[in-house]
């Protein structure tokens, strides 16, 4: 089954391009470290998911590029074509001239309805070119105007037009100290709206990725390109082909469906965080050796201590003892800083992954009490190494990972809302104070639900 | 890509405007090596086919034939505009873009606004429409004028009104030169306050400029160049005051250096909209992020660096110095003290070889010394444009919405009241058709209200921070 990617706004387009680059680079590399047949299956599965073959041409990404101003898209199209390994369909993009001005209302209420037909037409065309449509993957930032506002609108349209398809939104959380002053408003409006139409939100935080670039990748002068490449690597580690069933003979063909099934048992809980280890500069790889037990141990501690990367993990945090004596209406008998999960998915790429013991992830104390812990954990594997890492382990987690960031964004937005600052910029385009209140209410509900795990 | 139109009104407006067009051509010439008319150029220039003689049709793609500025030049006396048309820029403007008269406005806002406004209204609207028609997607009008005189101040604000009526969707950015305390025009306080009311009500963003600041910057550079020690290594074309490499070099006039600074401000402001970068900052984003309440749209601007040394290799520490400078009074275009007042919002537009991490590091570094309003503690808007200005490897424009403009406005009000109480020179204004006492009282009341809005925000500074309580959800 194939995934259609919708890249929205400057961020969405810049990241989308890096994602296709990473995936293509991985497939064409000689570092699969597995048998030839294995490699070929992997490559075919990957191609089916993300690319179309056109006669005597490089593979074409199954993507629609949308932006309200032309500079980024034209850059993205030309850079991709120059790579020689893949390209975008030259007609599969839509842009306007004037941008959304970082204004969510402009993206959602003005650009959305105005360009709905054209955009959905492009999406429809891409969807029709898939033998079997596996769902949609949208990439957007929350902080700006197009990715956030138009992105929320397009997601709604996707839901309406494809009621049974899976929709996964990849959302970029902006730096805490501003890239855009009204980013908290835009974020609140985006999240509350996406929650209604999307199946799940996969989040990357700029602050976190920045730290990874600085501390793990040793990059001195970090640019957005560096940040986007780390994000692309992490996404690739999730979406490249894997075997989802123990002893499965074929690479799974329904990645989005599988993801939703394992991670989103309840519609109230849609926030997914992503961790990937190891991460290091390319030139270190040759000198490093990893063991699965080591990687698993780190990944698990990252999960329960809510560590953002493999350095600076708090090893003091322990899961609570089950059967604790305090009965209470909400489970505050869990120790502070402990990250409670709803569901977790671990993805292992590299040789000897068959023998890996993942029992530590199946410990019921990691999970909330109202779910069956057997169903809460899943593992996908492949012996084929990913992107030059001999062994690589990823964790996609539906847990309290994003509780604090969410609470922080809502808090700051509320603070600003109380003073009514900038509201006139939104009402100008049809988003009223009640719309803000609705969004705040919806998100406080999500915060409350996650807090009470 | 969008287009912008510059409307330059009055002597000051036209002189600054002239420098803007000159430096804009210089900037594009430095970037555009193939002579192809590209989208960046189209934001401020049309490309006209003049082969058949006279004014041909617009050429949208392909080689540059003849560039015409998207501008409207308005002045009620002919001297300045005529000089422009006889100078090296004469081919950049066409005769249909001019509106001139002979006798000037006598430093009288009423003459500019009411008399000439009424007289030239139709003509102005027609020419504006024509300019707009040549634009594929008109995004912004830049009005350049001074506040203290008669034409720039009076007719300039009249045009501002027209822009709002005729093109309500297009942004209006106004660059206003405010009179200094020792201004030799006695009635400048009247003119300025009357103009302020118009700016309060009809402008989206105002960039106030004070001659004193420009003068100080010119002096500072002058000292640096002539100090002997580093002087010989200053790159000539990098000075924010220089016309080197532009068409104008031969006959530099006294105000040229100061006007070049303002021209550079406008170029930097629009750079991210014209050129590519990893984090674009368009003009509509500037308005969106920096104007929390409709009338509080006065932005303090500062530019760095003022010049570059010929030494090209800039270590990180120098880069950090650039950010620090942007928050120092030496680099501001008005005399105000943002560091000791309250920031409502701040934007940093970086050009050239600066990385995201440098930007973030400096924001973290500078943040603690700046006071931000309680509801916008982390209110920074940032933009990264890849193309640096001519002669530099990187530059920074900082725009701040800060309550430090309040003292400037209070002073203006005081100077106004001094004259008004004695009814000095009032008759010159009142005898103009359409001008009444109420114009004055409304204007001063508008200014007072504005000052009061800033007062209310200042009152929140330093107080205990009590965040409003969040919505409670029933569990």
């Amino acid at each position: 089954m194939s995934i259609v990617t919708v890249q929205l706004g400057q961020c969405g387009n810049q990241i989308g391009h890096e994602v296709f680059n990473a995936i293509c680079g991985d497939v064409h590399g000689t570092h699969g470290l597995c048998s030839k047949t294995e490699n070929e299956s992997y490559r075919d599965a990957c191609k089916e998911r993300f690319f179309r073959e056109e006669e005597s041409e490089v593979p074409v990404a199954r993507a629609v590029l949308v932006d309200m101003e032309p500079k980024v898209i034209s850059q993205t199209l030309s850079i991709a074509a120059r790579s020689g390994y893949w390209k975008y369909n030259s007609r599969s993009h839509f842009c306007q001239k004037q941008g959304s001005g970082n204004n969510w209302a402009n993206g959602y209420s003005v650009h959305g309805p105005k360009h709905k037909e054209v955009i959905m037409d492009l999406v429809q065309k891409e969807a029709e070119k898939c033998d079997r449509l596996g769902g949609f993957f949208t990439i957007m930032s929350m902080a700006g105007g197009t990715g956030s506002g138009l992105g929320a609108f397009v997601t709604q349209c996707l839901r309406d037009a494809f009621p049974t398809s899976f929709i996964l939104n990849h959302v970029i959380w902006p730096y805490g100290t501003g890239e855009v002053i009204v980013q908290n408003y835009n974020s609140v409006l985006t999240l509350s709206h996406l929650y209604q139409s999307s199946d799940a939100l996969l989040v990357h935080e700029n602050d976190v990725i920045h730290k990874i670039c600085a501390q793990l990748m040793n990059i001195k002068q970090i640019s957005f390109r560096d940040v986007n490449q780390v994000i692309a690597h992490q996404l690739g580690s999730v979406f490249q082909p894997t075997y989802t069933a123990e002893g499965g003979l074929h690479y799974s063909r329904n990645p989005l469906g599988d993801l939703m099934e394992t991670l989103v048992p309840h519609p109230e809980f849609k926030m997914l965080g992503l961790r990937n280890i190891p991460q290091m500069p390319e030139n270190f790889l040759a000198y490093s050796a990893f063991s699965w037990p080591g990687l698993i141990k780190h990944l698990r501690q990252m999960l329960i201590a809510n560590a953002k990367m493999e350095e600076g993990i708090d090893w003091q945090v322990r899961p609570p003892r089950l059967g604790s004596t305090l009965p209470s209406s909400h489970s505050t008998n869990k120790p502070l800083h402990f990250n409670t999960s709803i569901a977790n998915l671990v993805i292992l790429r590299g040789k000897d992954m068959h023998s890996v013991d993942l029992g530590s992830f199946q410990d019921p104390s990691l999970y909330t009490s109202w779910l069956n812990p057997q169903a809460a954990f899943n593992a996908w594997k492949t012996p084929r190494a990913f992107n030059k890492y001999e062994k690589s382990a990823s964790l996609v987690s539906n847990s309290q990972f994003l509780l604090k960031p969410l609470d922080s964004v809502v808090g700051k937005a509320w603070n600003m809302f109380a003073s009514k600052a900038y509201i006139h910029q939104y009402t100008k385009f049809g988003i009223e104070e009640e719309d803000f209140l609705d969004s705040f209410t919806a998100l406080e509900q999500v915060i409350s639900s996650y807090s009470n795990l | 890509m969008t287009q912008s139109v510059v409307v330059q009104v009055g002597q000051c407006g036209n002189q600054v405007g002239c420098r803007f067009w000159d430096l804009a051509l210089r900037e594009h010439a430095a970037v555009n090596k193939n002579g192809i008319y590209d989208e960046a150029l189209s934001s401020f220039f049309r490309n006209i086919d003049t082969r058949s003689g006279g004014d041909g049709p617009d050429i949208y793609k392909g080689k540059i034939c003849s560039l015409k500025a998207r501008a409207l030049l308005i002045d009620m006396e002919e001297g300045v505009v005529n000089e422009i048309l006889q100078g090296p820029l004469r081919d950049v403007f066409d005769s249909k873009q001019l509106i001139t008269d002979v006798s000037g406005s006598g430093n009288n806002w009423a003459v500019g606004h009411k008399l000439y406004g009424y007289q030239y209204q139709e003509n102005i609207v027609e020419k504006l429409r024509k300019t707009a028609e040549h634009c594929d997607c008109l995004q912004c009008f830049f009005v350049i004028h001074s506040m203290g005189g008669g034409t720039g101040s009076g007719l300039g604000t009249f045009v501002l009104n027209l822009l709002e009526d005729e093109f309500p969707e297009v942004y209006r950015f106004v660059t206003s030169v405010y009179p200094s305390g020792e201004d030799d025009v006695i009635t400048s306080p009247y003119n300025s306050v009357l103009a302020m009311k118009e700016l309060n009500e009809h402008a989206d963003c105002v960039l106030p400029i004070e001659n004193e600041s420009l003068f100080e910057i010119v002096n500072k550079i002058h000292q640096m160049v002539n100090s002997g020690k580093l002087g010989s290594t200053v790159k000539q074309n990098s000075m924010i005051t220089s016309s080197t490499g532009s068409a104008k070099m031969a006959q530099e006039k006294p105000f040229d250096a100061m006007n070049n600074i303002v021209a550079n401000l406008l170029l930097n402001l629009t750079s991210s909209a014209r050129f590519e970068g990893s984090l674009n900052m368009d003009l509509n984003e500037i308005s969106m992020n920096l104007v929390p309440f409709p009338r509080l749209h006065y932005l303090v601007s500062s530019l760095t660096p003022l010049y570059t040394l010929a030494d090209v290799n800039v270590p990180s520490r120098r880069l950090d110095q650039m950010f620090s400078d942007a928050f120092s009074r030496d680099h501001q275009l008005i005399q105000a003290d943002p560091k000791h007042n309250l920031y409502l919002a701040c934007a940093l537009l970086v050009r050239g070889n600066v990385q995201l991490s440098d930007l973030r590091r400096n924001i973290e570094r500078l943040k603690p010394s700046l006071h931000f309003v309680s509801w916008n503690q982390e209110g920074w808007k940032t933009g990264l444009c890849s193309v640096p200005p001519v002669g530099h490897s990187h530059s920074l424009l900082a725009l701040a919405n800060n309550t430090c403009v309040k003292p400037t406005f209070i002073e203006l009000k005081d100077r106004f009241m001094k004259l008004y109480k004695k009814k000095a020179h009032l008759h010159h204004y009142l005898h103009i058709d359409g001008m009444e006492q109420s114009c004055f009282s409304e204007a001063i009341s508008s200014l007072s209200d504005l000052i009061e809005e800033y007062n209310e925000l200042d009152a929140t500074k330093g107080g205990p921070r009590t965040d409003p309580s969040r919505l409670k959800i029933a569990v």
Side-chain angles (χ1 to χ4, degrees):
Chain A
M1 287 176 135
S2 312
I3 300 176
V4 172
T5 302
V6 184
Q7 310 179 175
L8 296 143
Q10 172 166 29
C11 172
N13 280 293
Q14 284 176 190
I15 291 182
H17 163 247
E18 295 296 348
V19 172
F20 285 110
N21 253 353
I23 289 174
C24 220
D26 175 43
V27 164
H28 282 105
T30 51
H31 44 253
L33 303 178
C34 58
S35 70
K36 188 155 176 269
T37 25
E38 187 73 64
N39 209 23
E40 277 171 12
S41 296
Y42 184 83
R43 202 189 50 209
D44 292 338
C46 168
K47 284 231 175 99
E48 181 197 45
R49 273 181 204 191
F50 295 109
F51 297 94
R52 268 185 288 123
E53 297 281 5
E54 300 213 329
E55 290 153 24
S56 68
E57 278 187 32
V58 291
V60 177
R62 299 183 189 276
V64 178
L65 291 71
V66 179
D67 200 357
M68 288 298 101
E69 62 107 2
K71 296 195 293 282
V72 180
I73 286 189
S74 66
Q75 254 195 310
T76 309
L77 289 173
S78 72
I79 299 179
R82 268 188 266 146
S83 77
Y85 284 119
W86 67 278
K87 63 177 191 171
Y88 287 107
N89 174 356
S90 56
R91 281 187 299 274
S92 202
H93 68 265
F94 176 73
C95 59
Q96 285 294 275
K97 302 199 181 88
Q98 213 193 127
S100 300
N102 288 166
N103 191 323
W104 194 92
N106 197 4
Y108 185 84
S109 307
V110 176
H111 287 130
K114 194 162 165 207
H115 306 298
K116 175 178 171 174
E117 261 191 66
V118 180
I119 296 176
M120 289 312 288
D121 189 57
L122 287 175
V123 172
Q124 188 70 44
K125 285 206 172 74
E126 273 304 324
E128 277 163 20
K129 291 188 184 144
C130 304
D131 278 341
R132 283 200 301 157
L133 179 64
F136 297 96
F137 180 58
T138 75
I139 314 180
M140 63 229 277
S141 81
M142 296 198 303
T146 299
S148 69
L150 181 61
F153 185 82
V154 167
T155 305
Q156 227 169 274
C157 294
L158 288 175
R159 176 53 70 214
D160 292 336
F162 301 90
T164 54
S165 290
F166 294 106
I167 301 177
L168 175 66
N169 290 88
H170 179 235
V171 179
I172 298 297
W173 214 267
Y175 287 97
T177 36
E179 298 166 23
V180 169
I181 292 175
V182 290
Q183 63 186 44
N184 298 313
Y185 279 166
N186 292 337
S187 301
V188 165
L189 291 164
T190 304
L191 290 170
S192 57
H193 278 78
L194 287 182
Y195 233 77
Q196 289 165 23
S197 353
S198 169
D199 289 307
L201 280 62
L202 183 59
V203 174
H204 266 115
E205 299 166 75
N206 272 350
D207 280 305
V208 171
I209 305 297
H210 193 106
K211 275 228 188 80
I212 291 178
C213 285
Q215 294 178 237
L216 298 180
M217 310 295 281
N218 275 343
I219 303 175
K220 294 277 177 281
Q221 303 242 278
I222 301 168
S223 65
F224 268 117
R225 189 149 175 265
D226 299 311
V227 171
N228 293 344
Q229 283 177 343
V230 172
I231 292 175
H233 171 88
Q234 295 204 346
L235 288 175
S237 78
V238 174
F239 289 114
Q240 286 291 56
T242 52
Y243 297 99
T244 48
E246 207 53 69
L249 293 169
H250 303 286
Y251 277 110
S252 144
R253 299 187 70 187
N254 188 9
L256 287 184
D258 292 336
L259 197 80
M260 301 309 172
E261 206 187 334
T262 63
L263 289 173
V264 190
H266 190 295
E268 184 66 12
F269 300 91
K270 291 181 179 173
M271 311 276 304
L272 306 178
L274 173 52
R275 302 282 184 267
N276 168 265
I277 59 172
Q279 297 246 230
M280 56 180 49
E282 204 175 297
N283 50 354
F284 281 24
L285 286 174
Y287 307 103
S288 315
F290 308 101
S291 71
W292 285 122
L295 288 174
I296 298 301
K297 189 166 167 216
H298 275 76
L299 203 56
R300 180 178 183 266
Q301 193 61 24
M302 282 166 75
L303 168 63
I304 62 182
N306 197 356
K308 310 281 190 180
M309 55 184 193
E310 68 244 50
E311 252 176 46
I313 303 176
D314 184 353
W315 291 92
Q316 300 299 320
V317 180
R318 291 258 177 279
R321 282 207 193 78
L322 275 190
S324 300
T325 49
L326 304 164
S328 53
S329 53
H330 35 275
S331 19
T332 46
N333 47 355
K334 292 224 162 63
L336 286 170
H337 309 307
F338 177 77
N339 183 45
T340 311
S341 303
I342 296 215
N344 287 309
L345 168 65
V346 165
I347 304 171
L348 303 176
R349 300 175 183 277
K351 59 182 184 184
D352 303 328
M353 37 84 235
H354 287 303
S355 52
V356 180
D357 175 16
L358 290 165
S360 58
F361 275 97
Q362 289 164 313
D363 181 353
S365 63
L366 265 55
Y367 299 93
T368 183
S369 50
W370 44 263
L371 278 179
N372 173 7
Q374 298 318 63
F377 174 71
N378 275 279
W380 297 353
K381 303 176 189 173
T382 171
R384 202 234 186 235
F386 171 66
N387 209 10
K388 305 196 181 91
Y389 284 85
E390 177 203 60
K391 294 189 178 73
S392 158
S394 296
L395 167 69
V396 186
S397 175
N398 189 344
S399 63
Q400 293 171 322
F401 264 171
L402 293 155
L403 181 52
K404 257 186 61 209
L406 182 59
D407 190 59
S408 165
V409 164
V410 173
K412 289 189 216 169
W414 184 247
N415 205 3
M416 195 182 266
F417 184 67
S419 72
K420 299 285 176 278
Y422 298 101
I423 298 297
H424 71 282
Q425 307 268 17
Y426 291 85
T427 51
K428 191 161 69 168
F429 293 112
I431 295 293
E432 306 295 329
E433 286 188 28
E434 292 105 63
D435 298 307
F436 274 93
L437 282 171
D438 287 341
S439 290
F440 279 114
T441 313
L443 291 183
E444 293 286 6
Q445 181 67 59
V446 174
I447 291 172
S448 169
S449 303
Y450 272 102
S451 298
N452 290 326
L453 282 183
Chain B
M1 184 72 76
T2 55
Q3 289 79 41
S4 299
V5 171
V6 173
V7 182
Q8 33 195 91
V9 190
Q11 171 173 23
C12 169
N14 276 292
Q15 283 176 332
V16 172
C18 181
R19 298 315 312 135
F20 169 76
W21 290 111
D22 205 358
L23 292 182
L25 283 169
R26 182 179 79 159
E27 180 168 271
H28 280 281
V31 177
N32 188 331
K33 300 293 182 197
N34 330 349
I36 302 285
Y37 180 67
D38 60 9
E39 297 223 311
L41 264 175
S42 84
S43 61
F44 278 114
F45 295 94
R46 290 166 61 203
N47 187 20
I48 300 222
D49 189 346
T50 46
R51 284 169 300 180
S52 44
D55 228 15
D58 277 34
I59 307 174
Y60 290 103
K61 278 190 160 68
K63 281 216 155 282
I64 294 173
C65 192
S66 173
L67 289 176
K68 294 282 183 211
R70 299 187 193 277
L72 204 57
L73 286 68
I74 304 178
D75 201 357
M76 291 298 101
E77 48 166 23
E78 298 178 307
V80 177
V81 175
N82 276 345
E83 221 190 301
I84 296 178
L85 294 179
Q86 281 153 21
L89 288 178
R90 59 179 164 276
D91 290 327
V92 176
F93 303 106
D94 77 57
S95 53
K96 295 198 284 308
Q97 294 164 282
L98 318 170
I99 299 179
T100 55
D101 202 310
V102 188
S103 32
S105 302
N107 287 325
N108 185 328
W109 184 92
V111 172
H113 196 97
K114 302 281 184 188
L115 191 77
Y116 285 123
Y118 178 67
Q119 191 177 334
Y120 283 98
Q121 176 166 351
E122 263 187 60
N123 193 348
I124 295 174
V125 172
E126 196 204 304
K127 297 211 153 99
L128 284 171
R129 288 207 170 289
K130 235 334 153 18
T131 333
E133 269 162 39
H134 288 298
C135 297
D136 206 7
C137 181
L138 176 60
Q139 183 184 47
C140 186
F141 283 108
F142 285 97
V143 177
I144 313 179
H145 71 146
S146 72
M147 299 283 277
T151 302
S153 177
L155 188 54
T157 48
F158 182 81
V159 172
L160 186 61
N161 263 285
L162 282 183
L163 293 176
E164 184 170 27
D165 290 336
E166 301 288 323
F167 307 92
E169 313 274 302
V170 180
Y171 287 90
R172 295 171 292 284
F173 274 63
V174 187
T175 307
S176 308
V177 180
Y178 279 66
S180 64
E182 305 92 40
D183 199 292
D184 51 0
V185 175
I186 303 181
T187 50
S188 70
Y190 283 161
N191 297 330
S192 303
V193 173
L194 288 163
M196 275 291 288
K197 171 166 178 290
E198 307 297 316
L199 293 183
N200 280 343
E201 291 171 18
H202 305 290
D204 286 313
C205 267
V206 178
L207 300 159
I209 314 274
E210 283 180 314
N211 275 340
E212 273 152 73
S213 298
L214 298 179
F215 191 64
E216 278 170 21
I217 291 177
V218 171
N219 269 347
K220 187 169 174 196
I221 294 179
H222 200 68
Q223 275 175 7
M224 180 48 77
V225 173
N226 296 329
S227 70
K229 191 168 160 212
L230 293 163
S232 54
T233 54
V234 170
K235 271 162 102 172
Q236 282 300 306
N237 65 352
S238 71
M239 293 188 291
I240 213 176
T241 49
S242 100
S243 309
T244 309
S246 72
K248 190 76 177 344
M249 254 197 90
Q251 334 123 32
E252 279 216 25
K253 308 230 322 283
F255 277 101
D256 276 353
M258 288 162 64
N259 292 340
N260 279 336
I261 300 175
V262 184
N264 274 311
L265 166 66
L266 290 173
L267 284 177
N268 282 327
L269 187 67
T270 54
S271 61
S272 189
R274 290 176 291 138
F275 301 116
E276 39 117 64
S278 64
L279 189 57
N280 296 333
M281 181 151 99
D282 206 346
L283 293 166
N284 51 9
E285 293 173 25
I286 293 176
S287 165
M288 173 70 180
N289 284 282
L290 292 173
V291 184
F293 300 101
R295 299 205 314 161
L296 302 182
H297 53 243
Y298 294 86
L299 306 178
V300 177
S301 45
S302 50
L303 290 166
T304 66
L306 302 177
Y307 52 81
T308 354
L309 303 180
D311 171 12
V312 180
N313 228 336
V314 181
S316 233
R317 220 161 42 87
R318 287 263 189 90
L319 204 60
D320 287 11
Q321 185 60 44
M322 175 175 85
F323 282 90
S324 300
D325 284 343
F327 288 91
S328 107
R329 296 184 63 163
D330 294 346
H331 292 253
Q332 283 166 211
L333 274 61
I334 67 165
Q335 306 271 303
D337 190 7
K339 269 198 162 154
H340 293 107
N341 282 282
L342 199 59
Y343 276 88
L344 304 181
C346 187
L348 296 175
L349 214 185
V350 181
R351 294 181 69 173
N353 193 10
V354 182
Q355 294 307 330
L356 175 63
S357 48
D358 300 316
L359 182 56
R360 303 226 54 82
R361 181 182 67 247
N362 279 287
I363 292 179
E364 294 301 319
R365 190 172 63 85
L366 294 165
K367 212 165 51 116
S369 60
L370 306 170
H371 306 283
F372 271 81
V373 73
S374 65
W375 41 259
N376 202 3
Q377 286 284 298
E378 278 121 358
W380 295 83
K381 165 71 181 155
T382 54
L384 289 162
C385 173
S386 322
V387 178
V390 175
H392 293 262
S393 58
H394 50 268
S395 76
L396 171 64
L397 163 67
L399 292 171
N401 192 340
N402 187 305
T403 56
C404 67
V405 291
K406 194 180 68 174
T408 313
F409 296 154
I410 292 180
E411 237 193 83
L412 199 58
K413 182 179 170 187
D414 289 343
R415 277 188 256 141
F416 175 97
M417 291 310 288
K418 246 181 163 158
L419 291 176
Y420 192 59
K421 279 201 194 118
K422 302 195 215 132
K423 305 217 187 311
H425 305 281
L426 221 47
H427 54 285
H428 291 302
Y429 292 77
L430 294 176
H431 90 248
I432 303 287
D433 219 2
M435 196 69 186
E436 286 157 23
Q437 193 97 14
S438 60
C439 294
F440 282 85
S441 49
E442 276 168 23
I444 200 65
S445 145
S446 172
L447 183 57
S448 301
D449 286 345
L450 183 67
I451 292 173
E452 192 44 42
E453 270 191 69
Y454 280 109
N455 271 335
E456 278 169 31
L457 285 164
D458 268 337
T460 66
K461 180 178 176 229
R465 172 116 176 263
T466 41
D467 289 339
S469 21
R470 300 263 291 272
L471 294 175
K472 297 246 184 313
I473 302 293
V475 174

